[in-house]
Amino acid sequence: MEDAINETCPWSGKPIAGDSLTIYNGAVVGFCNPGCRDKFETATRHFDAAMKETQDGRQLPV
């Protein structure tokens, strides 16, 4: 947890927990529980895919 770039969960604002860490863009990001961590991972995975599609010149579905 000492490597995390944040002390509070970006979703809930509660303190981060040791079992709820992930790596994003090379940084350790902490969350208050695994559910918040998993929600973040899902959201960033979709966002990163959308960015790649845009950068590749493909149209995004509406």
Side-chain angles (χ1 to χ4, degrees), residues 4-27:
I5 61 169
N6 58 314
E7 294 180 1
T8 58
C9 177
W11 292 114
S12 71
K14 296 177 183 175
I16 63 171
D19 67 346
S20 304
L21 305 174
T22 192
I23 304 290
Y24 183 69
N25 286 340

Side-chain angles (χ1 to χ4, degrees), residues 14-52:
K14 296 177 183 175
I16 63 171
D19 67 346
S20 304
L21 305 174
T22 192
I23 304 290
Y24 183 69
N25 286 340
V28 177
V29 182
F31 297 87
C32 65
N33 63 57
C36 283
R37 178 202 58 214
D38 296 348
K39 182 168 58 169
F40 175 81
E41 289 176 347
T42 299
T44 57
R45 194 168 40 251
H46 288 290
F47 178 74
D48 291 345
M51 290 296 295
K52 182 173 179 2

